[in-house]
Amino acid sequence: MKSALEPKAAPKAALAARRMALLAETHAAGSAAEESEDWVVSYMDMVTLLMIVFLTLVGMLWIDKKTRPTVVNVLQIETGTLPRHDFADAAMTPEAPAAKPAVPADQPLPANVTVSPMTRATVDRWVEALRRNGLEDQVQLQIQENRVSIAIRDRLLFASAQSEIGPDGQRMLHRLTALLRDLPGVISVEGHTDDRPIRSDRFPSNWELSAGRAGAVVRVLTDNGLPVRRLRAIGYADSRPLVQNTDPESRARNRRVTLVIED
């Protein structure tokens, strides 16, 4: 009887062993799948942290934009006239107050111009300082929040395609030094050209010409008493035009040296 039952028991034992093997394989596969997806959790954590940092930076920029003073308007003064331009408060103020306003205080401004009393006083002092030094018809003045730009047409300083400053330019820079000497801040002397290319042994391109002109102006300013530590020379070539270079007049406007005083 015992031998007759053994053939039936063998298939059952084999079936049970096969089931156990299948269960073991299933469990191992599930564990491997779980382990293989662990990196997804770490990746999502990293993405979440980056998103939090990004939103924090955006919030800080938004707050800074809302709270800091923003300059959106500019005053330009050329040849003693006041074009129709808005401008905002200027923090840079010349030392010596004007004996009388260069622009009468009772003279109405254009309807699209609004200024605070501090701004109008600052503008008046600058206009008077330029007139007192004989510069009102030779430079273009731009007043912004914490910087003042004084642009000089290249023909007042240099011959065509040259970087040597003539006698008239020397005298003008001497008067300009008297205006700048007591002002605080760093003075950047920027050379600008038009878009016409230049090819010479001394100036292979407009980059060298603009840098050479800026350096020549810095040299004259230091010779007239401005400290070297306050000055720097920069050549921009034709990379920052004021207007499109479409005709001789527009090109003449773009050829300039600009003194930028930053407090």
Side-chain angles (χ1 to χ4, degrees):
M1 294 292 296
K2 184 176 182 180
S3 60
L5 293 174
E6 285 179 356
K8 295 181 179 180
K12 292 182 178 180
L15 183 58
R18 184 173 178 80
R19 288 178 178 175
M20 293 296 294
L22 290 174
L23 289 174
E25 289 177 1
T26 303
H27 178 72
S31 299
E34 291 177 358
E35 292 177 359
S36 65
E37 293 178 357
D38 288 344
W39 69 273
V40 177
V41 177
S42 301
Y43 175 79
M44 294 303 297
D45 290 341
M46 182 185 69
V47 171
T48 302
L49 290 174
L50 289 176
M51 182 62 69
I52 292 173
V53 172
F54 174 79
L55 292 176
T56 302
L57 291 175
V58 170
M60 293 172 63
L61 291 174
W62 183 84
I63 293 173
D64 186 49
K65 183 178 180 181
K66 286 292 186 181
T67 57
R68 72 184 180 210
T70 302
V71 177
V72 294
N73 301 315
V74 171
L75 169 68
Q76 292 182 325
I77 304 171
E78 188 173 17
T79 65
T81 61
L82 289 174
R84 296 174 62 89
H85 288 288
D86 293 344
F87 56 95
D89 290 352
M92 176 68 71
T93 304
E95 290 293 324
K100 61 179 181 178
V103 180
D106 57 350
Q107 177 179 329
L109 290 171
N112 64 328
V113 175
T114 58
V115 299
S116 69
M118 183 182 70
T119 300
R120 185 60 182 264
T122 300
V123 172
D124 290 343
R125 282 193 288 269
W126 268 105
V127 174
E128 177 61 24
L130 291 177
R131 289 180 173 172
R132 189 169 56 246
N133 288 275
L135 298 169
E136 73 277 6
D137 59 348
Q138 296 181 327
V139 302
Q140 182 177 9
L141 180 68
Q142 186 181 78
I143 299 177
Q144 293 178 328
E145 178 185 8
N146 64 339
R147 56 184 278 163
V148 173
S149 300
I150 301 174
I152 309 170
R153 294 283 181 88
D154 72 323
R155 59 181 171 77
L156 300 176
L157 299 175
F158 309 101
S160 177
Q162 300 298 319
S163 64
E164 289 78 18
I165 301 176
D168 292 340
Q170 295 271 358
R171 286 189 289 270
M172 185 184 68
L173 291 177
H174 178 75
R175 295 194 299 270
L176 191 58
T177 302
L179 176 62
L180 299 175
R181 186 178 291 115
D182 297 328
L183 293 177
V186 176
I187 302 173
S188 299
V189 181
E190 303 173 350
H192 302 267
T193 68
D194 58 28
D195 64 340
R196 291 180 300 181
I198 182 174
R199 297 282 189 274
S200 67
D201 293 338
R202 186 174 182 184
F203 304 117
S205 72
N206 282 325
W207 291 103
E208 287 81 9
L209 177 60
S210 62
R213 287 181 167 182
V217 172
V218 166
R219 185 168 60 252
V220 172
L221 294 178
T222 56
D223 291 344
N224 282 281
L226 283 181
V228 177
R229 65 179 181 275
R230 293 187 56 203
L231 294 164
R232 58 189 178 191
I234 307 171
Y236 284 116
D238 60 333
S239 63
R240 299 190 177 186
L242 293 176
V243 294
Q244 294 290 333
N245 291 283
T246 56
D247 51 56
E249 183 180 354
S250 62
R251 289 189 175 93
R253 289 188 61 188
N254 289 329
R255 296 192 303 269
R256 67 200 187 276
V257 173
T258 304
L259 282 68
V260 181
I261 306 101
E262 298 183 75
D263 186 6

